[in-house]
Amino acid sequence: MLIFFKERLALLSLPKTGSTAYQVALRDRADIVVSGPPDLKHAPVRRYDRFFQNIFRKMYDTEMEIMAVVREPVDWLGSWYRYRTRSELTGHPHSTDGMSFDKFVQAYMQSPRPAFADVGSQTEFFRTRSNGAGASHVFRYDHQDEILDFLQDRLNTRINLTRENVSPKRELILSDQTLDTFRKAHAAEFRLHQQAR
């Protein structure tokens, strides 16, 4: 999470949406940098609003606009799947090494989810508190030029992105049946992506 006080902007870090690259590029420009622990670095809208936004309301009588990036749902799960194939996770309950992507997506649709597929949801990340504000600026991960243009304009700075936290390459093959079931069961995830800029 990065907070730019003068510009009244909070850049929240939804996992697997390139947020680490923006943290590296902008950490020296930000007023507040939350790089860990993961529950704070990746604080969803509700947690940000309850703790961080509340500080700005009470101390400065202002609010930060919230910005975040959302990824196409199958691509987002694919990134999680690939990330969890890393060799350092071999033997760990979160490892997806040796597993097909199809099996991973099927496991994601179970309730409860097994540990290796328990990665949360993008719609849950954006859920607001009953009295809280939502994200003002939601960009699609595949619209990197628009994200850069927005941030460079808003922050009046040039941004040089580097690739960070890159997942291993793996085939992301889904059966038609798994894809169809996933689209129906998680239609809200697809709507969220469609509504983003």
Side-chain angles (χ1 to χ4, degrees), residues 14-38:
L14 174 59
K16 313 316 296 168
T17 61
S19 58
T20 301
Y22 284 97
Q23 279 223 339
V24 169
L26 291 169
R27 64 180 161 215
D28 293 339
R29 174 68 177 73
D31 297 298
I32 299 173
V33 178
V34 182
S35 57

Side-chain angles (χ1 to χ4, degrees), residues 99-133:
M99 177 185 306
S100 72
F101 181 50
D102 198 87
K103 180 179 176 184
F104 176 78
V105 174
Q106 289 179 26
Y108 181 80
M109 292 187 285
Q110 293 175 13
S111 182
R113 294 177 182 134
F116 66 83
D118 193 10
V119 297
S121 87
Q122 295 185 102
T123 51
E124 187 62 23
F125 182 90
F126 285 97
R127 190 164 59 93
T128 60
R129 296 195 311 150
S130 59
N131 62 344

Side-chain angles (χ1 to χ4, degrees), residues 176-195:
D176 290 343
Q177 181 179 355
T178 300
L179 178 58
D180 186 55
T181 304
F182 177 62
R183 284 186 177 279
K184 288 175 182 168
H186 294 276
E189 300 282 322
F190 290 90
R191 280 194 302 274
L192 172 67
H193 180 255
Q194 279 299 117
Q195 292 165 358

Side-chain angles (χ1 to χ4, degrees), residues 116-196:
F116 66 83
D118 193 10
V119 297
S121 87
Q122 295 185 102
T123 51
E124 187 62 23
F125 182 90
F126 285 97
R127 190 164 59 93
T128 60
R129 296 195 311 150
S130 59
N131 62 344
S136 309
H137 310 282
V138 181
F139 289 89
R140 293 184 191 187
Y141 174 82
D142 50 316
H143 291 176
Q144 290 296 320
D145 288 347
E146 291 182 36
I147 298 167
L148 274 172
D149 287 347
F150 173 81
L151 285 171
Q152 289 178 150
D153 183 58
R154 183 73 176 253
L155 303 176
N156 193 28
T157 190
R158 296 293 304 155
I159 299 172
N160 294 312
L161 286 179
T162 55
R163 293 195 66 185
E164 304 288 336
N165 206 18
V166 179
S167 299
K169 297 244 185 259
R170 294 288 187 273
E171 284 193 335
L172 301 179
I173 299 171
L174 288 182
S175 69
D176 290 343
Q177 181 179 355
T178 300
L179 178 58
D180 186 55
T181 304
F182 177 62
R183 284 186 177 279
K184 288 175 182 168
H186 294 276
E189 300 282 322
F190 290 90
R191 280 194 302 274
L192 172 67
H193 180 255
Q194 279 299 117
Q195 292 165 358

